Amino acid sequence: MLYLIGLGLGDAADITVKGLQAVRRCSRVYLEAYTSVLTVGKEALEEYYGMQLILADRDLVEQGADKILKDAAVTDVAFLVVGDPFGATTHSDLVLRAVHAGIPYKVIHNASIMNAVGCCGLQLYNFGETVSVVFWTETWRPESFYDKICKNRSAGLHTLCLLDIKVKEQSIENMMRGKKIYEPPRFMTVSQAADQLLQIVQRRREAGEELGVTEDTLCVGLARLGSDDQVIRAGTLQQLASCDLGGPLHSLAVTGRLHPLEVDMLRTNAEPNALERLIEVDSSTFTS
Amino acid sequence: MLYLIGLGLGDAADITVKGLQAVRRCSRVYLEAYTSVLTVGKEALEEYYGMQLILADRDLVEQGADKILKDAAVTDVAFLVVGDPFGATTHSDLVLRAVHAGIPYKVIHNASIMNAVGCCGLQLYNFGETVSVVFWTETWRPESFYDKICKNRSAGLHTLCLLDIKVKEQSIENMMRGKKIYEPPRFMTVSQAADQLLQIVQRRREAGEELGVTEDTLCVGLARLGSDDQVIRAGTLQQLASCDLGGPLHSLAVTGRLHPLEVDMLRTNAEPNALERLIEVDSSTFTS
């Protein structure tokens, strides 16, 4: 049996009881380590489970799936994923390989940012399409996430922005030389994401375009959701561009039309009395 | 401390280790019992936790919140919610009451249908706004969910449809007589939801309207997700209207534009060779 087990969002104890029981039954346990991270590392999980884990990087999952699935028809193998197992495309790929090899699989679900974001007070059913904000390079500065956010806002909907993670990336130089030397991991912060959005706002304003999101748009920065030191910060896009929410992982929510109960919840995470003013300013840029 | 603890989707063992530890620390434990249900009942949970639970119906949560929060500043109280605690609006309300009473609170997240739906193979970030399909009555037959599904589809997005739950409802007769006699609980099935959608399709066709969803639209029925006997069934809306996916809870996903990997995953839950034909037929009604 192949078990795909979600680890949730915080630390080792966020695994479900069912998930922990399955892990302890398995003869091999892989830890997927490139689409998300917990606030604790591999060693903490190994100590908690009382077992060794095999780190599964992108190469192993995408090209070495046969290794992961080896003997899984006759023994139990676990594939651990931070959050819920179906957050990332490559895990569907692993499931399909198992199915085609006649290996039964079982999913043990857990919280992911896709539903845990609700704790900031924005109602889940008022979210539109989720977007990914990628690290810009000097030559690659996509803006499609901005347009999707504006589209959600024009329908009155909030947007969850998943922020880029770069793990085990090679510099172009090392890649060309075939050297397997990797850059230190990078996790986009709320501040970096807000800064990229502000640059888009600026560029489009200069181009004379109508703006669905501006410096005054009300946003919510989220850091280390589900852990003891999680931070939720409501403020304008401009304010979030200069905030420091601490270590990874970060996510950003851009608000759409707000229900009074949502405002009340956001107020618990904003400077006193600041929120009404923010909403008033933001409403003037609201396109619907 | 007020703990809001998600129970996940399947049975008692789907609680997280952190959640279970918190429950066992608490002097009072409430089980929210009107926005969702597990495949096991209150007694099974009590046996699993080794504690008594207090059933919290809508009246208690909405009007008796003070009772739930009593002494929570000096003792630990848990409020258990199937899925994740922030799926339903009324739980924000409970949190706000705690905040205003100076009671600290902590959320222990878990899987909910909002993210677990990804296991059917439809990618979470390709979902648009979530909709609720309510039981029609003779005099109240809202169609707004149909329009939202069409709007998502025209943007290429899938739609998760949450299906109605009626727990502790009174008949109009008993309500008028002030009798606290309740109707048996009702949980909308995939078949019932599909049937209501088909009636809308039919009515709008007769009215000469353009149709964003038809009998041939590819949908996925989901039942008891996360439990051992979960069922996932891909088929046309027409096919799902006559399927029997067993006991509650059910949900329905209406597909938008499909990525080849999503098709591969859906194929594992459809009749052999049926899916390509379904997609071909559906594409002809696809509006974007």
Side-chain angles (χ1 to χ4, degrees):
Chain A
M1 175 81 82
L2 170 69
Y3 287 97
L4 293 109
I5 303 174
L7 298 185
L9 294 171
D11 57 38
D14 284 303
I15 194 170
T16 64
V17 175
K18 195 179 277 179
L20 185 59
Q21 288 166 345
V23 165
R24 292 194 170 144
R25 265 200 304 276
C26 286
S27 52
R28 291 199 312 282
V29 182
Y30 294 88
L31 173 63
E32 189 269 274
Y34 60 94
T35 61
S36 192
V37 291
L38 288 177
T39 54
V40 296
K42 174 170 168 276
E43 292 69 27
L45 294 178
E46 287 179 328
E47 198 185 320
Y48 194 81
Y49 305 147
M51 337 183 33
Q52 295 282 307
L53 302 184
I54 306 162
L55 219 52
D57 60 16
R58 190 182 292 270
D59 284 352
L60 180 61
V61 178
E62 293 183 356
Q63 286 148 42
D66 293 344
K67 250 190 232 175
I68 296 174
L69 296 176
K70 190 170 173 287
D71 302 330
V74 290
T75 183
D76 288 334
V77 174
F79 185 75
L80 309 182
V81 181
V82 174
D84 188 68
F86 281 94
T89 322
T90 43
H91 308 149
S92 288
D93 196 62
L94 184 65
V95 166
L96 285 170
R97 282 168 189 272
V99 170
H100 294 150
I103 297 165
Y105 75 95
K106 200 171 160 64
V107 179
I108 300 180
H109 292 285
N110 210 320
S112 69
I113 184 67
M114 305 289 277
N115 69 338
V117 64
C119 72
C120 76
L122 299 175
Q123 290 292 323
L124 282 184
Y125 48 76
N126 292 338
F127 277 78
E129 189 180 358
T130 299
V131 306
S132 293
V133 180
V134 293
F135 275 119
W136 279 351
T137 66
E138 277 188 24
T139 52
W140 191 61
R141 300 162 70 89
E143 300 191 352
S144 55
F145 53 85
Y146 179 88
D147 296 304
K148 284 184 179 173
I149 296 170
C150 295
K151 194 169 176 189
N152 282 338
R153 266 171 72 80
S154 73
L157 300 172
H158 315 311
T159 309
L160 170 63
C161 304
L162 304 175
L163 308 187
D164 206 358
I165 291 177
K166 293 282 185 205
V167 179
K168 242 185 154 182
E169 297 276 319
Q170 287 172 286
S171 68
I172 292 175
E173 211 177 2
N174 283 325
M175 204 187 292
M176 286 173 67
R177 289 180 183 169
K179 287 190 182 172
K180 296 238 166 201
I181 299 172
Y182 302 102
E183 303 298 301
R186 290 192 301 155
F187 304 95
M188 187 182 283
T189 64
V190 162
S191 151
Q192 288 170 322
D195 180 64
Q196 287 192 184
L197 280 164
L198 288 175
Q199 289 186 52
I200 298 173
V201 170
Q202 186 60 23
R203 198 193 65 69
R204 299 210 177 189
R205 180 178 288 121
E206 283 164 11
E209 290 180 32
E210 205 181 314
L211 298 171
V213 170
T214 73
E215 294 84 352
D216 295 325
T217 296
L218 189 60
C219 298
V220 185
L222 310 139
R224 300 173 305 287
L225 223 60
S227 75
D228 281 339
D229 69 340
Q230 75 171 29
V231 178
I232 299 174
R233 182 80 50 85
T236 63
L237 187 60
Q238 184 79 61
Q239 288 172 336
L240 291 187
S242 56
C243 73
D244 177 3
L245 304 186
L249 289 179
H250 290 194
S251 307
L252 177 71
V254 181
T255 65
R257 186 174 295 114
L258 289 164
H259 182 276
L261 194 61
E262 294 180 312
V263 175
D264 288 343
M265 281 292 291
L266 289 182
R267 197 184 285 121
T268 67
N269 295 304
E271 290 168 51
N273 307 319
L275 208 68
E276 277 68 15
R277 194 176 41 76
L278 298 184
I279 291 166
E280 201 177 306
V281 174
D282 187 28
S283 301
S284 62
T285 67
F286 211 91
T287 50
S288 93
Chain B
M1 176 81 83
L2 170 69
Y3 287 97
L4 292 109
I5 303 174
L7 298 185
L9 295 170
D11 56 39
D14 283 302
I15 194 170
T16 65
V17 176
K18 195 179 277 178
L20 185 59
Q21 288 166 345
V23 165
R24 292 194 169 144
R25 266 201 303 277
C26 286
S27 52
R28 292 200 311 283
V29 182
Y30 294 88
L31 172 64
E32 190 269 274
Y34 61 95
T35 61
S36 193
V37 291
L38 289 177
T39 54
V40 296
K42 174 170 168 278
E43 293 69 28
L45 294 178
E46 287 179 328
E47 199 185 321
Y48 194 81
Y49 304 148
M51 328 181 45
Q52 295 282 307
L53 302 183
I54 307 162
L55 219 52
D57 60 15
R58 190 182 291 269
D59 284 352
L60 179 61
V61 179
E62 293 183 356
Q63 286 147 43
D66 293 345
K67 249 190 232 173
I68 296 175
L69 296 176
K70 189 168 175 287
D71 302 328
V74 290
T75 184
D76 287 334
V77 174
F79 186 73
L80 309 183
V81 182
V82 174
D84 188 67
F86 281 94
T89 321
T90 44
H91 308 148
S92 289
D93 196 64
L94 184 64
V95 167
L96 284 170
R97 282 168 187 270
V99 170
H100 294 150
I103 297 165
Y105 76 94
K106 200 171 160 62
V107 178
I108 300 180
H109 291 287
N110 210 321
S112 68
I113 184 66
M114 305 289 277
N115 69 338
V117 64
C119 72
C120 77
L122 299 175
Q123 290 293 323
L124 282 184
Y125 48 77
N126 292 338
F127 277 79
E129 188 180 359
T130 299
V131 306
S132 293
V133 180
V134 294
F135 276 119
W136 280 351
T137 66
E138 275 188 27
T139 53
W140 192 60
R141 301 163 69 90
E143 299 191 352
S144 55
F145 54 84
Y146 178 87
D147 296 302
K148 285 185 181 173
I149 296 169
C150 294
K151 194 170 176 187
N152 282 338
R153 267 171 70 81
S154 74
L157 300 172
H158 315 310
T159 309
L160 171 63
C161 304
L162 304 175
L163 308 187
D164 205 358
I165 291 177
K166 293 281 184 207
V167 179
K168 240 185 156 181
E169 299 276 320
Q170 288 172 285
S171 68
I172 293 175
E173 209 177 3
N174 283 324
M175 204 186 295
M176 286 173 66
R177 289 180 182 170
K179 287 192 182 169
K180 295 238 169 202
I181 299 171
Y182 302 101
E183 303 298 302
R186 289 192 299 154
F187 304 96
M188 187 184 282
T189 64
V190 162
S191 150
Q192 289 170 321
D195 180 64
Q196 288 192 181
L197 280 164
L198 287 176
Q199 290 187 51
I200 298 173
V201 170
Q202 185 61 22
R203 198 192 64 70
R204 298 207 177 190
R205 180 177 288 122
E206 283 164 10
E209 290 181 35
E210 205 180 314
L211 298 171
V213 169
T214 72
E215 295 84 350
D216 295 325
T217 296
L218 189 60
C219 299
V220 184
L222 310 139
R224 300 172 306 285
L225 223 59
S227 74
D228 282 338
D229 68 341
Q230 74 171 29
V231 177
I232 299 174
R233 181 81 49 85
T236 63
L237 186 60
Q238 184 79 61
Q239 288 171 336
L240 291 187
S242 56
C243 73
D244 177 5
L245 303 187
L249 288 180
H250 290 195
S251 307
L252 176 71
V254 182
T255 65
R257 186 173 296 113
L258 289 164
H259 182 277
L261 194 61
E262 294 180 311
V263 175
D264 288 343
M265 280 293 291
L266 289 183
R267 197 183 285 124
T268 66
N269 294 304
E271 288 168 51
N273 307 319
L275 209 67
E276 277 68 17
R277 194 175 41 75
L278 298 183
I279 291 166
E280 201 177 306
V281 175
D282 188 26
S283 301
S284 61
T285 67
F286 211 92
T287 51
S288 95

